[in-house]
Amino acid sequence: MRTWATGITVVTSRRQGRSVGCTVTAFTSVSLQPALLLVCLADGSRTLATLRARGVFAVNVLGGDQTALAGHFATAPGDRFATVPHHLVDGVPLLDAALATAVCRVEHAWPVADHTLVLGRPSHYGAVREVPPLIRFDGISGRLGTFT
């Protein structure tokens, strides 16, 4: 699967005053009518537990200049939002510098092996910046157009 290039996102949620988020590459648009998207999260993820309990989450699409941010949300212990500029929409954190964002209500979740597929219906979405996206290919993250 390393030969399949994919965009990089940060999925976020919030419950009882605590924001959670993790880096996710398993993200896709499912349909336009109605608008639906899909993310895949590890079963042990704090983000998955929070979005299941709350029923709402956000997808933050990262720009090609945000490799460090992708690494931060993949590995940082503790409060991952302490040093990251963000704001709340519908009570869910959105990253201020994201390429694009979508706040979603959970439509359905399917456990599959050690992950859960989460289908979301966007209630708010928008493009924040116009830069090339951050992608992952062959185990390397970089700006679209840098892989030759």
Side-chain angles (χ1 to χ4, degrees):
M1 297 312 297
R2 293 171 58 102
T3 62
W4 179 252
T6 185
I8 301 177
T9 67
V10 172
V11 173
T12 60
S13 193
R14 182 176 175 91
R15 182 171 178 244
Q16 299 175 341
R18 294 190 58 188
S19 295
V20 294
C22 63
T23 302
V24 173
T25 57
F27 159 75
T28 191
S29 169
V30 174
S31 69
L32 295 176
Q33 292 295 326
L36 296 169
L37 56 81
L38 187 78
V39 296
C40 183
L41 299 166
D43 286 338
S45 164
R46 289 180 295 159
T47 305
L48 176 60
T50 301
L51 75 82
R52 276 185 164 157
R54 176 89 193 286
V56 64
F57 65 98
V59 176
N60 299 268
V61 178
L62 298 186
D65 56 349
Q66 295 180 305
T67 303
L69 191 59
H72 175 76
F73 276 93
T75 61
D79 182 359
R80 293 180 174 173
F81 291 87
T83 60
V84 176
H86 65 283
H87 61 283
L88 301 179
V89 172
D90 293 339
V92 179
L94 298 181
L95 306 182
D96 290 351
L99 179 66
T101 59
V103 176
C104 302
R105 302 271 175 226
V106 174
E107 287 282 309
H108 196 72
W110 299 274
V112 179
D114 61 352
H115 281 66
T116 296
L117 305 176
V118 181
L119 184 68
R121 181 183 299 259
S123 59
H124 168 84
Y125 47 88
V128 181
R129 302 188 304 142
E130 291 187 24
V131 298
L134 183 63
I135 61 170
R136 186 148 182 91
F137 174 72
D138 199 23
I140 302 168
S141 298
R143 184 184 307 251
L144 182 64
T146 60
F147 299 91
T148 56

